[in-house]
Amino acid sequence: EVQLLESGGGLVQPGGSLRLSCLGSGFTFSSYTMNWVRQAPGKGLEWLAGISVGGSTVMYADSVKGRFTISRDNAKNTLYLQLDALKTEDTAMYYCAKEAAAYSVVKIYNEYESGRLQRGQGTQVTVSS
């Protein structure tokens, strides 16, 4: 059974930082492009970042480019998202997500496509003073 377990969320002040982690199990983690998506209260899913199987290719949504950094450690079956310079509008549930197929290309996903990714239970990030 595929499982994605996110952790690292919490309450942080504007301008602060967090590091999210996602532990994958039940599949060959190193064979899958991985992504982070989020859902703010009352809004749809927003794709944030994607990383290729080996980590050499990354892509970011414009809303987080320059502030968030995606990375992975295949030896630990773990995906990371470093969140810096956080803003109140970054408040959301954050999910790691994978495609159904292995070795998919890194791409930008729209809201509909983001909903079709397999996601974990999520970790809450709240940015507030």
Side-chain angles (χ1 to χ4, degrees):
E1 179 188 2
V2 171
Q3 289 192 333
L4 298 168
L5 181 62
E6 301 93 339
S7 61
L11 173 64
V12 62
Q13 292 185 340
S17 298
L18 284 172
R19 189 193 196 199
L20 308 184
S21 299
C22 171
L23 176 64
S25 61
F27 65 103
T28 305
F29 182 84
S30 58
S31 297
Y32 286 80
T33 295
M34 296 297 296
N35 301 272
W36 286 97
V37 301
R38 70 184 178 188
Q39 187 165 26
K43 297 189 177 180
L45 283 169
E46 178 187 14
W47 175 86
L48 301 176
I51 186 167
S52 59
V53 296
S56 61
T57 302
V58 296
M59 293 183 71
Y60 296 95
D62 288 343
S63 60
V64 304
K65 194 175 297 182
R67 300 189 300 121
F68 292 5
T69 304
I70 189 172
S71 62
R72 66 191 297 163
D73 185 338
N74 287 339
K76 295 182 179 179
N77 287 357
T78 302
L79 177 72
Y80 302 100
L81 187 67
Q82 177 68 38
L83 288 64
D84 295 318
L86 282 161
K87 306 174 182 179
T88 55
E89 52 263 44
D90 292 318
T91 295
M93 186 71 77
Y94 284 69
Y95 303 90
C96 67
K98 61 179 286 292
E99 278 275 11
Y103 299 104
S104 56
V105 297
V106 181
K107 56 171 281 189
I108 296 172
Y109 292 81
N110 62 31
E111 180 179 348
Y112 172 76
E113 293 168 330
S114 295
R116 294 179 62 84
L117 295 172
Q118 186 170 11
R119 307 190 303 273
Q121 294 298 306
T123 187
Q124 177 69 37
V125 172
T126 302
V127 185
S128 175
S129 55

